[in-house]
Amino acid sequence: MIIKPLHEPEWLCLIPRFQGEHAEKQHFENLVKGYEGELKFAGLLEGISDNWLILYDLRLEYRRTIFQIDALLISPKSLHLFEVKNFESDFYIDSGKWFTINGKEIRDPVLQLNRCEFLLRQLLHEYGFNIPIKSNVVFINPTFTLYQAPLDLPIILPTQLDRLVQQLNLSAKKPGIRDINLAEKLAGAHLIRSPYDHLPEYNDSELKKGIYCAACSSFSISLKSDQITIICRKCGKEEAADSAVIRTLKEFQLLFPEEKVTTNRVYYWCGEIFSKKTIRRVLGRNFVLKGRGRFAHYVL
């Protein structure tokens, strides 16, 4: 049973709009890669018993220290904490340190796992729960290989993923009220925002205007002859014009929360695909008009 689902991160809408070589392009490519790994792991866990209480992408705080858990599974007898890594290619361990096959040292993912486990245990004690925690780093990418790894390392390799699902199914027990209360308490403690969130600096001129396809993120969008449907010339995905405008407007509000929503601003942000009359109609149906003349703007 999923108590806290994995949500698409807000920053994902920035990726298709970056033009050229943005200064933080590599940082965002790594974020996307990590999110894709979490999606794969969530898909894998669809095959386990509903008796497990599952929380994804859980951000918690214990005594002013913030920590993040990719996946947490709760049962009457134990908690399973998973740190998901989407590493590709070959890695090795030498003298307790982790390296890429080219010899570049990387941050030890097990240390990160141990930190999360320690903080979670302290938080549980504060809540009045004393329950064993089993922690593992999951390497979800099938191309990942790790050499010279100690046998007692708390990791799950790509070849062990099917076995993990089998073990979770065998150990699944029906949760009690106390387990459900704990899951809901942790979900309620989730921090939507963190002072450590790092989004790139951007301005309007750096971001590509227009409506991109909800399926393939292409900007190759055309308005069909019926004037109420758009179609992606790349993948053929169709979408109602109203839906596309609202989707793109919500993105604009996320990126520019301080700006007022006006007909002209939305018209240009949508890439002038629709007429201002269409934009005004969609805004009028879904928002409340405030002010008059040049002071007119729309609010929820």
Side-chain angles (χ1 to χ4, degrees):
M1 181 191 305
I2 298 177
I3 303 298
K4 182 186 178 300
L6 178 63
H7 292 294
E8 183 178 285
E10 292 181 339
W11 48 260
L12 210 60
C13 66
L14 276 171
I15 307 303
R17 295 195 180 275
F18 278 143
Q19 302 186 86
E21 292 296 320
H22 194 277
E24 300 195 56
K25 184 178 180 181
Q26 183 62 52
H27 169 69
F28 261 71
E29 287 177 348
N30 291 337
L31 288 179
V32 171
K33 196 173 181 180
Y35 173 63
E36 290 174 345
E38 292 178 38
L39 274 179
K40 289 179 183 177
F41 188 62
L44 181 75
L45 293 188
E46 289 179 358
I48 70 171
S49 168
D50 284 340
N51 283 333
W52 287 101
L53 304 175
I54 307 176
L55 298 96
Y56 291 110
D57 192 23
L58 193 59
R59 183 183 293 163
L60 302 169
E61 182 176 7
Y62 173 71
R63 296 190 179 180
R64 298 186 181 181
T65 300
I66 294 173
F67 60 105
Q68 186 164 331
I69 298 171
D70 291 335
L72 183 68
L73 276 62
I74 299 176
S75 76
K77 292 186 177 181
S78 64
L79 271 66
H80 287 253
L81 187 159
F82 295 104
E83 176 72 26
V84 182
K85 296 298 181 186
N86 196 16
F87 292 175
E88 297 177 351
S89 193
D90 300 339
F91 293 76
Y92 67 93
I93 298 176
D94 185 18
S95 301
K97 297 180 180 180
W98 289 61
F99 299 87
T100 67
I101 201 65
N102 296 323
K104 179 182 178 182
E105 185 176 357
I106 65 168
R107 184 180 298 176
D108 185 343
V110 175
L111 290 180
Q112 183 178 351
L113 177 76
N114 292 339
R115 174 182 179 271
C116 284
E117 180 181 329
F118 171 79
L119 292 169
L120 177 61
R121 184 176 292 108
Q122 302 309 307
L123 184 62
L124 291 176
H125 286 169
E126 193 172 89
Y127 287 168
F129 290 86
N130 184 17
I131 182 169
I133 302 174
K134 299 178 181 179
S135 302
N136 283 283
V137 179
V138 176
F139 294 97
I140 197 71
N141 197 304
T143 68
F144 174 81
T145 302
L146 181 63
Y147 299 100
Q148 302 174 188
L151 293 177
D152 61 349
L153 212 58
I155 63 174
I156 297 172
L157 300 171
T159 54
Q160 299 172 314
L161 292 172
D162 288 343
R163 194 184 317 161
L164 170 65
V165 172
Q166 293 172 3
Q167 291 171 346
L168 290 173
N169 279 328
L170 288 173
S171 60
K173 303 293 182 183
K174 187 175 181 178
I177 297 298
R178 184 173 170 80
D179 307 309
I180 295 172
N181 288 342
L182 172 58
E184 291 177 346
K185 189 173 183 65
L186 290 172
H190 170 69
L191 301 175
I192 298 176
R193 296 285 184 184
S194 164
Y196 305 110
D197 282 344
H198 178 60
L199 291 179
E201 294 184 2
Y202 56 86
N203 56 54
D204 186 71
S205 62
E206 290 181 305
L207 301 177
K208 186 176 179 64
K209 311 303 183 294
I211 293 177
Y212 60 78
C213 175
C216 71
S217 299
S218 169
F219 280 88
S220 299
I221 298 294
S222 296
L223 184 62
K224 294 186 70 175
S225 57
D226 62 8
Q227 299 295 303
I228 59 172
T229 311
I230 61 170
I231 184 170
C232 176
R233 297 192 299 274
K234 183 176 180 180
C235 73
K237 169 76 173 180
E238 294 188 6
E239 183 180 7
D242 287 25
S243 171
V245 171
I246 293 172
R247 172 171 61 86
T248 307
L249 174 55
K250 288 181 178 178
E251 180 185 297
F252 171 79
Q253 290 178 302
L254 170 67
L255 298 175
F256 303 100
E258 303 302 320
E259 285 203 34
K260 291 182 177 180
V261 176
T262 66
T263 300
N264 285 338
R265 193 69 177 92
V266 177
Y267 170 72
Y268 289 115
W269 180 252
C270 289
E272 304 177 29
I273 293 177
F274 306 107
S275 66
K276 290 184 181 180
K277 181 180 179 180
T278 298
I279 298 294
R280 193 175 295 111
R281 175 180 56 78
V282 174
L283 292 176
R285 284 182 176 179
N286 296 277
F287 296 85
V288 177
L289 179 63
K290 297 286 186 179
R292 293 183 178 181
R294 63 190 183 94
F295 297 106
H297 62 282
Y298 293 85
V299 296
L300 288 174

